[in-house]
Every structure is written in C-alpha cells, then in structure tokens.
Amino acid sequence: MPVPWFLLSLALGRSPVVLSLERLVGPQDATHCSPGLSCHLWDSDILCLPGDIVPAPGPVLAPTHLQTELVLRCQKETDCDLCLRVAVHLAVHGHWEEPEDEEKFGGAADSGVEEPRNASLQAQVVLSFQAYPTARCVLLEVQVPAALVQFGQSVGSVVYDCFEAALGSEVRIWSYTQPRYEKELNHTQQLPALPWLNVSADGDNVHLVLNVSEEQHFGLSLYWNQTGPQIITLNHTDLVPCLCIQVWPLEPDSVRTNICPFREDPRAHRNLWQAARLRLLTLQSWLLDAPCWLPAEAALCWRAPGGDPCQPLVPPLSWENVTVDVNSSEKLQLQECLWADSLGPLKDDVLLLETRGPQDNRSLCALEPSGCTSLPSKASTRAARLGEYLLQDLQSGQCLQLWDDDLGALWACPTDKYIHKRWALVWLACLLFAAALSLILLLKKDHAKAAARGRAALLLYSADDSGFERLVGALASALCQLPLRVAVDLWSRRELSAQGPVAWFHAQRRQTLQEGGVVVLLFSPGAVALCSEWLQDGVSGPGAHGPHDAFRASLSCVLPDFLQGRAPGSYVGACFDRLLHPDAVPALFRTVPVFTLPSQLPDFLGALQQPRAPRSGRLQERAEQVSRALQPALDSYFHPPGTPAPGRGVGPGAGDGT
C-alpha cells in the first residue's frame, strides 16, 4: 500500500564544532590495560557464543563494571568515523581450595590457575557489541601478576579501541569470560544525535537538514524496517537525481544493493532546480542551496522593472562569487535577486557600475536598457539627466553597495526623491487649479442656493391707520409668492416688542444688506410727513404713533445711507396709485427708483430681482399675479362699503380719487 515518504532538504555548510573528541589515528583495533597488567587482542573477531556457567576452580578474574567513551578514528585529517571505546574493570573472585588429589588439582591448572599459590592469574575476556544492524565479538587476553592478586579486590581495567557506531543509535555491550564462571555483565547506551543533524516538520513534509564540510562527500540512507513484500509509492515531486535506493537483509555482514534510478529523470532535475535557492552571504560570497550536488555556472546580471530577460553587466564584474543567473547544461535554470532582503520591494532605482583600472583609475556608468551610460554625460537618457544627483548621493553615502571585488563595485541609488521633486510643481499647479475650480463651483452653488431661496426684502412703511396696514400686509403676502423672502414688522410683533423698534430694524437691515437683499420704502402721506420732519429738524417730534411703528425708528439708520450715497442698489421706493404721487416723495429719497403700484408692478418686481439676474420672460406674468392678489385689498381700502375712502386726500400730494 502507499506510504508517506520523506522530503529531504539538505543545507550544505561547515560542520559546527559541538563535541570535542579524542582522535585515534589508524584503522586497526587496539587494546591497553592498567599498569601492572598485561593484555593482548586476538587478531580477528570470534563467534558470539557465551556458553553455560561452570563452577570456578579457584580464584578467577571476572568483569565487574563497563565504562564507555566516544572517540574519533581518523584515516586522514578530515576523514574520521565515530567510535565507542569500552573499558572493562576486573576483580579477583573465588578463593584457593586444597586439592583432594593431584588429578583434581591438575584440572584447575588447565583452567588458567597455576599450581603455586603465588602464581599469576589469566583470563579470556569477551566483549560483545550490538548496534543495529551490526554485531561483533572480540576476545581480550589478560594476565594479572601474583603481587596484585587480592581476593575480592579490583586489579585494574583493560580498554578496547574501538567499536564503530553511529550517532543517534542504541548500542548494547556484554562482557564475560571464557569459560563463563558468572552471569555476563551488560551495558546499554543511547548515543547522542548528530550535532549537525536536524529533523523538522513542515506540514506533511519532514525536512532532514545536514551540515557537513564542503570538502566531505557523504551518503544518506533511509530504510524501512519491514518484513515480507512491500510496495513503496514515491510522490513525483519528491524525486531528485541523487535519490537512491539501498536494500539489504537484516542479517550481520549482509550485502547491500544500491540503485539510483532518477539520475537522468527530467522530472527529478526539474524538482532539483525548483528546490534550489541562492543566498547572499557577504558582499563577496554566495551560496547555492540544493538537495543534490550539481555543476553550474553563475553570472551577475541586472533587470529593469518590468524588463525581461535579465541583461548582463557591461562591463562585466567577476562572476566567480555571485549569481542571479545559474546555468546548467547551457540552459538557464535559476534566476533570483540576491539583495531582495536589503533592497525591499522592487523600486525604480538606478544601478551604478564602478570599474577599477590600474593606478586606482575609476569610472562610473549607469545601467540602462540601452547600455551603460557614463557619468557625467550629456545624453538624453534618464540616468544622464539624473547623473549629477546620482554622483552626489554616491559620495554622500546614500547609495546601497550590492557588490565589491577587485574589478569593481555595484551600487543601487534611489531616484524616487528626484521624481517627486520633478513633479512637485506640477502637483502644486494641479492643486491650485482644483482649489480655484472648487471656489468657483462653491460660489456658483451659493448663488444658485440664494437664487433658489429668493432675494431678501425688508418692507418699511408708516402705520398711518389699520386700513393701510392691511394693504401693506396684502402686498407682503403677494410678494412672498415670488422668489422673495419678505420681512415686515406686521409678522414680527413679538420680536419687535421684545427688542424695541430701533434694535429690531437695525438687525433686519444689517442681515438684509449682508445677504445682498433690498430695503423697500413704502411711502404714504404719513411716511412723507415723518421724512420731512427728519429733514427739517433732524429728530422726530412726538406724535400719535404706536409702539410698533418701525418706520419712525428706522429713519435714524436709513437717512445716513441716503446722505452718504450708499442707498442706490440697496433701496427702492414705492407708493400706491390714488394715494400718493411720486413727486410728493422728498427729493433725497428719489435718488433711488420710486414705483407706483400697481401700475408699475413689472418694473417694481424687476428692481427686486438679484442685481445681475437676467430679466425673466415671466416677469409680466408675475406682475399680473401680484396685481390680482393685491386688488381686493386696494378695493377694500379705497372703496369701503358705506364709508368714504379712508386716507383719501390726506397729506401733501394726495390723489384726487379718480
């Protein structure tokens, strides 16, 4: 059935110095023992057959303790294998017994105990080593002089160099004598993992990262500890040319079969280059990370934003130590920007290429699609126009150095600030134009809004009698049907009483004139009499005027506008037919138009429009509308039922009633 496979990611680099191990020179195993002891190692391994325990014929040597140590066995200075040194500590066990006869004593002598009680002791010590899938047994011969033989005491140790082992593996060691007088001594040890080996998980993938020296070749084996037929399915994205398969039976010293079926597989080579990465180490060194060893040629090139393909440097820099293009088998395989981390996102910078000649001669040129433009230059290219600024930035240290070697250097100089400065005036002009356009539109909007609201009109009159007040109210109501905003004291009696006539009129006049409105002086015989009094005496004498007569109060503000010539354009006069002739209005107030109503209604309404407003074709229609609304009030005022017409013939210049 399909099983998951390991995705290998190998990072090549120098081995970190983590463990400080003793080095053993030479390929041969060796043994040495404590002072006073003598020892010898058999030339070849023996069969691992402990045998049964037999009674000791007398004092014998027996293993009491095992001690291990990691060392390095080196063929050359950089060719070393990990090895496990084993030290066996020995002691004298048992005691002398009186032999019953010579035959029995002789049997003990054959077992390694000599007849004199002061004779030396000899023993054959076996070391059995197992670390999957390896198993070995070696034989050590040890002799202890009689002077060191003390019953129950340690006599020293014998050291064996050494059993080869792999870091991260579990090893088991047994020690016993031949023949075996006691139970074998055993020791189990888990060797530490490779200090330069790291296994990490990335989602469903497992990354095995090895860090070994650049000069060292190594092989990597992943094996399945399975029995019986197995079908292993590999994902095609995991195939690389150096992925090999090794198969062997789980038996000691078995022959292993190796096959590397993907060396020429196009998919494997494609996966190899997809996994390869370029990495900049310093300004003069780079690193190509790839799952497999591969021959490649590197070259430095440059590419403009949006440009394709990458263009070679002219003149070229040394390519031995840097790359953005990697070619293999005369085909471009990899292209990366090594300075992406330091430069950030792609920008419209200018690359300056510095070449160095003999006697410290230096020249600078800017890389452009058309070639390398010398700086300074009078050409019409972008780099030539910015040449002076680029040289200043280079001298002031504002450019980033990307590469440096004996032949030259490469610099990246930002140009965004010059582009911003170049367009600053354009943007300023655009902003000023937009501001002016907005102001014009705002003024037009305000004018249109004012036109839609209608022009403000303040209606001033003298309250001669109640009938005349009703006539004024009818005129004000008729004007409100037009685009006019009419203010009259008849509709503001509460504010007039609270503020007083002078304050109320002053506020209304100021607001009307500030809004571009018009003040309408509606003359009547009473108003003419009040104006004459003001013009003669400068003050208004006491009279039978009510508390709401704003006309008398307004003369103190109106007369200065007429006397100082500010009235034209802001004031108009009006009077009613058959009530007052225009010539009866004092000459000072005739400096502004004075209209008779309703005979001159069209001209009166035209004067009430905005000063620059075009004459509307509907002006006559509006005049007829106002005349119809005003006519009932005129009839009621001049022809009241059963009474003579009020106000008729009152005051100077009164009409004749015809």
Side-chain angles (χ1 to χ4, degrees):
M1 64 178 180
V3 294
W5 194 252
F6 293 105
L7 176 63
L8 305 182
S9 174
L10 307 183
L12 305 182
R14 295 191 175 277
S15 304
V17 179
V18 178
L19 300 178
S20 179
L21 304 179
E22 179 182 346
R23 291 172 175 260
L24 305 179
V25 181
Q28 302 297 325
D29 295 345
T31 184
H32 59 276
C33 45
S34 300
L37 304 184
S38 60
C39 51
H40 172 70
L41 172 66
W42 278 37
D43 294 336
S44 59
D45 292 357
I46 64 172
L47 295 177
C48 300
L49 300 174
D52 298 329
I53 298 177
V54 298
V60 293
L61 292 176
T64 59
H65 178 62
L66 291 176
Q67 187 176 356
T68 60
E69 179 186 2
L70 285 176
V71 295
L72 292 176
R73 171 178 285 171
C74 302
Q75 306 288 342
K76 299 179 181 179
E77 181 66 23
T78 60
D79 186 10
C80 299
D81 296 318
L82 192 66
C83 216
L84 190 64
R85 171 184 287 168
V86 181
V88 184
H89 295 266
L90 302 173
V92 178
H93 288 183
H95 56 276
W96 292 105
E97 294 183 357
E98 292 295 336
E100 296 180 358
D101 49 36
E102 293 292 327
E103 186 175 339
K104 181 176 180 181
F105 184 79
D110 293 339
S111 299
V113 182
E114 296 184 1
E115 182 175 350
R117 296 197 172 191
N118 58 355
S120 62
L121 291 181
Q122 294 182 350
Q124 293 182 339
V125 180
V126 178
L127 283 178
S128 177
F129 174 85
Q130 288 188 7
Y132 183 84
T134 303
R136 291 184 59 194
C137 285
V138 297
L139 182 63
L140 309 176
E141 291 186 344
V142 184
Q143 184 173 0
V144 181
L148 297 179
V149 176
Q150 296 181 8
F151 300 112
Q153 297 295 321
S154 174
V155 296
S157 62
V158 58
V159 179
Y160 169 72
D161 288 328
C162 56
F163 293 114
E164 292 186 2
L167 283 176
S169 62
E170 182 182 79
V171 298
R172 295 183 179 182
I173 303 172
W174 289 267
S175 180
Y176 51 89
T177 59
Q178 283 188 344
R180 187 158 65 99
Y181 302 114
E182 298 179 357
K183 184 179 179 180
E184 66 271 13
L185 187 66
N186 65 78
H187 174 77
T188 302
Q189 181 175 349
Q190 180 71 44
L191 299 186
L194 280 168
W196 49 86
L197 173 64
N198 181 36
V199 179
S200 61
D202 182 12
D204 295 334
N205 299 325
V206 176
H207 295 275
L208 178 62
V209 182
L210 295 176
N211 194 349
V212 298
S213 63
E214 296 178 358
E215 299 84 5
Q216 184 177 358
H217 295 275
F218 65 93
L220 180 68
S221 297
L222 296 176
Y223 62 88
W224 294 95
N225 185 9
Q226 299 287 346
T227 59
Q230 295 290 327
I231 298 177
I232 299 176
T233 302
L234 302 180
N235 193 322
H236 69 90
T237 59
D238 299 338
L239 303 181
V240 288
C242 59
L243 180 60
C244 300
I245 301 172
Q246 186 180 79
V247 181
W248 70 95
L250 299 181
E251 298 175 358
D253 302 325
S254 60
V255 178
R256 303 191 177 195
T257 302
N258 296 279
I259 181 173
C260 299
F262 309 112
R263 287 178 177 173
E264 306 300 330
D265 193 319
R267 297 172 302 174
H269 284 270
R270 184 167 57 252
N271 294 338
L272 171 64
W273 286 109
Q274 289 178 351
R277 291 293 180 268
L278 284 169
R279 183 157 53 93
L280 186 67
L281 300 179
T282 65
L283 289 180
Q284 292 185 340
S285 61
W286 61 279
L287 180 66
L288 174 61
D289 291 332
C292 304
W293 181 88
L294 49 89
E297 178 179 310
L300 183 65
C301 67
W302 75 281
R303 180 170 59 189
D308 189 39
C310 197
Q311 304 183 42
L313 296 181
V314 181
L317 291 180
S318 175
W319 57 267
E320 288 86 354
N321 297 324
V322 69
T323 182
V324 291
D325 276 354
V326 178
N327 297 272
S328 180
S329 302
E330 299 182 356
K331 181 180 179 182
L332 178 63
Q333 299 287 1
L334 183 63
Q335 188 176 94
E336 288 189 13
C337 180
L338 300 182
W339 300 276
D341 293 338
S342 57
L343 290 178
L346 188 62
K347 295 177 291 188
D348 196 14
D349 293 349
V350 172
L351 291 177
L352 296 185
L353 182 61
E354 176 187 350
T355 55
R356 297 164 182 164
Q359 300 179 355
D360 294 334
N361 291 330
R362 298 173 52 190
S363 62
L364 286 169
C365 65
L367 293 173
E368 296 187 285
S370 59
C372 202
T373 304
S374 299
L375 295 181
S377 173
K378 296 182 179 180
S380 59
T381 63
R382 170 174 172 264
R385 290 192 295 269
L386 298 176
E388 181 180 353
Y389 303 108
L390 295 174
L391 293 177
Q392 292 177 358
D393 288 349
L394 182 61
Q395 293 177 359
S396 61
Q398 298 184 38
C399 297
L400 176 65
Q401 188 176 31
L402 305 179
W403 188 253
D404 186 20
D405 62 14
D406 295 336
L407 297 180
L410 187 63
W411 307 80
C413 299
T415 60
D416 50 353
K417 59 181 179 181
Y418 304 120
I419 296 176
H420 295 162
K421 183 184 299 183
R422 186 177 181 182
W423 288 98
L425 295 178
V426 178
W427 281 112
L428 181 59
C430 293
L431 290 176
L432 292 177
F433 176 76
L437 183 61
S438 300
L439 181 60
I440 293 174
L441 294 177
L442 182 61
L443 293 177
K444 287 187 175 181
K445 182 178 179 181
D446 291 342
H447 178 72
K449 184 184 296 185
R453 294 174 56 197
R455 192 182 186 189
L458 175 62
L459 194 58
L460 296 180
Y461 69 98
S462 174
D464 292 355
D465 51 49
S466 60
F468 188 74
E469 282 188 332
R470 286 192 294 269
L471 184 59
V472 172
L475 176 62
S477 299
L479 294 178
C480 285
Q481 304 301 319
L482 306 179
L484 288 173
R485 293 180 289 113
V486 180
V488 63
D489 62 348
L490 289 172
W491 300 339
S492 303
R493 289 296 170 87
R494 180 178 299 177
E495 292 83 355
L496 193 66
S497 299
Q499 300 177 16
V502 176
W504 181 87
F505 169 76
H506 180 71
Q508 294 295 325
R509 169 187 166 276
R510 181 178 58 184
Q511 181 179 353
T512 300
L513 296 182
Q514 285 179 351
E515 294 179 357
V518 62
V519 178
V520 179
L521 299 177
L522 190 57
F523 289 99
S524 65
V528 171
L530 286 174
C531 290
S532 298
E533 292 178 8
W534 267 96
L535 292 175
Q536 291 176 4
D537 302 332
V539 296
S540 177
H545 299 287
H548 306 303
D549 189 359
F551 187 81
R552 184 181 60 171
S554 67
L555 289 177
S556 61
C557 295
V558 170
L559 285 177
D561 289 341
F562 280 89
L563 293 174
Q564 297 176 14
R566 298 194 301 266
S570 300
Y571 288 80
V572 295
C575 58
F576 289 105
D577 292 328
R578 297 184 293 173
L579 183 62
L580 186 72
H581 195 277
D583 292 339
V585 177
L588 178 64
F589 296 99
R590 291 201 302 270
T591 57
V592 299
V594 179
F595 304 96
T596 59
L597 305 179
S599 59
Q600 293 182 324
L601 263 176
D603 295 334
F604 176 68
L605 297 181
L608 297 184
Q609 287 185 337
Q610 296 286 351
R612 291 179 297 275
R615 287 280 178 168
S616 173
R618 300 180 58 190
L619 192 60
Q620 183 64 35
E621 179 182 348
R622 292 176 178 175
E624 294 176 356
Q625 177 183 351
V626 173
S627 179
R628 286 193 300 270
L630 189 60
Q631 193 61 44
L634 289 172
D635 293 342
S636 175
Y637 181 74
F638 288 110
H639 303 286
T643 61
R648 193 178 298 174
V650 178
D656 56 3
T658 58

